[in-house]
Amino acid sequence: MTRILALNPGGIGDQVLFFPTLRGLRERFAQSRIEVVVEPRSQGAYRVCPSVNETLTFDFKADPSLADWMNLIGILRDRRYDAVLSVGSSSLVALLLWMTGIPKRVGYSAWITERFLTDSVPLNRDQYAAHMYHDLLQGFGIQRAFTPPQAAVNSEDERWATQALASLGGRKPLLLHPGASKLAELKGIRKLYPAAQWAQVAQKLLVKEADLPFYVVQGPDDSELVTAIKGELADQARFIQPPDVGKLTALIERSRLLLCVDSAPMHLAVATGTPLVALFGPTLPTKLLPEEPKYVPLVSPERDKVERIPVETVAAAAIKLLAKTPAA
């Protein structure tokens, strides 16, 4: 097998969750060319994934026209892949795979989709999502023990993070990434923790550990939230905006602890082995985090809005985890 294609229409977090599957393919087909089709917003995730040779983009969320779909099919047919796998479970995705003419087509089993696939895999949603994606390797006859996502930071991004934290003299900062996917908010999934509450959490932590380096990260979609936090914390925190996913990953990797909501940075923390406290609203942490003591999920009491999680609960979880984490 010389050329393998993977389709993953999700966001950056979904790509990171897919890393173990891609790693399994790379281990089994070491000499093959592995390519992925992703949305433009997610392409940056592959800056920290060594298993992939090339990323192609297609805007699955932009309501593509029939002409757009046919153009994609034409591109994929021209590249003459030997195999394709997809994390999608819809009949449309299965039909797309069939129309590419790719000889081996792997996906999740369903009574509609199976007629378009050559190898179908049972879909088990009641598990960690990275493990669910990893199950697709069964379609290639790969029996591999599951390992959590792992990111590989390149030397350029390592130098950027080292320079950004140079003033700390080797100490590791506590990192707050308050943002969440704008798409989630548009869907009515309340993932944003208010600026005033984040500021109260920060103040409690700084009372406990006065010399704790505290950094707030601004993402591409959360400038208003970060501005509000800046107004609350004044000179108590430093603010930083990594220009791409690779540099954000390098920054997380060099941090003592990440505070965040259920979002892409949470998955990057797992991929770098960085301890974290993550706030969950309606989503389930059992499906989005591996079970390890250094990854602490806090769930909204009503499983709806993250702002219902008490400040005291967030601060206490962070203090407990900081006590187990070296400062340098």
Side-chain angles (χ1 to χ4, degrees), residues 2 87 100-101 103 108 119-120 131 140 146 148 163 177 190 192 202 215 252 254 260 278 292 309 318 324 328:
T2 59
V87 304
T100 63
Y108 293 114
D119 300 88
S120 58
H131 208 308
F140 291 86
F146 172 77
Q163 184 175 1
H177 195 300
R190 298 294 298 276
L192 292 181
Y215 278 70
I252 292 173
R254 282 157 178 74
C260 62
E292 280 198 36
I309 302 174
K324 301 176 182 178

Side-chain angles (χ1 to χ4, degrees), residues 16-321:
V16 178
L17 290 165
F18 195 45
F19 284 4
T21 309
L22 295 168
R23 185 180 179 186
L25 287 173
R26 175 56 67 205
E27 291 172 354
R28 174 63 177 82
F29 304 107
Q31 303 305 315
S32 296
R33 184 173 179 84
I34 299 176
E35 302 171 17
V36 294
V37 178
V38 299
E39 295 176 32
R41 66 190 174 107
S42 305
Q43 189 175 21
Y46 288 91
R47 188 177 177 94
V48 295
C49 180
S51 303
V52 170
N53 297 101
E54 184 180 355
T55 57
L56 310 175
T57 59
F58 184 77
D59 202 342
F60 293 94
K61 300 295 184 184
D63 194 19
S65 66
L66 178 59
D68 293 328
W69 286 112
M70 295 307 296
N71 183 57
L72 176 63
I73 291 169
I75 291 171
L76 301 185
R77 289 181 70 92
D78 289 345
R79 287 180 169 245
R80 299 184 179 277
Y81 295 103
D82 298 289
V84 60
L85 72 158
S86 173
V87 304
S89 57
S90 71
S91 56
L92 176 61
V93 171
L95 177 61
L96 168 67
L97 301 188
W98 176 76
M99 292 180 70
T100 63
I102 298 171
K104 185 176 183 65
R105 302 180 298 278
V106 177
Y108 293 114
S109 57
W111 72 272
I112 294 179
T113 62
E114 285 184 358
R115 69 189 67 184
F116 301 119
L117 302 172
T118 61
D119 300 88
S120 58
V121 175
L123 175 60
N124 178 8
R125 298 184 186 275
D126 296 325
Q127 59 179 331
Y128 178 35
H131 208 308
M132 179 182 75
Y133 296 154
H134 191 262
D135 288 345
L136 287 168
L137 293 176
Q138 297 171 22
F140 291 86
I142 298 173
Q143 301 299 322
R144 172 185 183 272
F146 172 77
T147 54
Q150 294 181 3
V153 179
N154 65 40
S155 57
E156 176 190 339
D157 296 337
E158 286 178 349
R159 286 193 297 271
W160 181 91
T162 299
Q163 184 175 1
L165 302 177
S167 64
L168 301 184
R171 290 181 302 156
K172 293 183 175 182
L174 186 150
L175 204 63
L176 166 61
H177 195 300
S181 166
K182 186 177 288 186
L183 184 60
E185 291 294 313
L186 291 174
K187 289 181 177 179
I189 301 174
R190 298 294 298 276
K191 290 186 176 184
L192 292 181
Y193 202 58
Q197 288 173 249
W198 276 130
Q200 290 174 45
V201 170
Q203 287 159 357
K204 287 181 179 296
L205 295 177
L206 291 168
V207 166
K208 182 70 175 179
E209 194 170 333
D211 62 345
L212 176 68
F214 196 103
Y215 278 70
V216 180
V217 180
Q218 180 177 322
D221 297 330
D222 53 14
S223 58
E224 291 184 11
L225 180 60
V226 171
T227 299
I229 293 172
K230 189 178 294 186
E232 294 278 351
L233 288 178
D235 298 327
Q236 294 175 291
R238 307 182 198 191
F239 295 81
I240 189 168
Q241 186 170 13
D244 56 56
V245 174
K247 292 174 181 59
L248 172 60
T249 305
L251 186 64
I252 292 173
E253 186 178 47
R254 282 157 178 74
S255 297
R256 187 176 170 190
L257 171 69
L258 175 68
L259 280 174
C260 62
V261 294
D262 161 25
S263 57
M266 176 185 76
H267 300 293
L268 293 173
V270 171
T272 57
T274 303
L276 67 88
V277 174
L279 278 55
F280 286 79
T283 50
L284 294 174
T286 53
K287 296 184 179 183
L288 295 168
L289 276 180
E291 290 188 19
E292 280 198 36
K294 64 181 177 181
Y295 307 137
V296 179
L298 300 176
V299 183
S300 166
E302 302 298 327
R303 278 196 165 166
D304 53 359
K305 303 174 183 179
V306 292
E307 59 257 40
R308 296 185 189 273
I309 302 174
V311 166
E312 293 75 12
T313 301
V314 180
I319 289 168
K320 185 176 180 180
L321 205 50

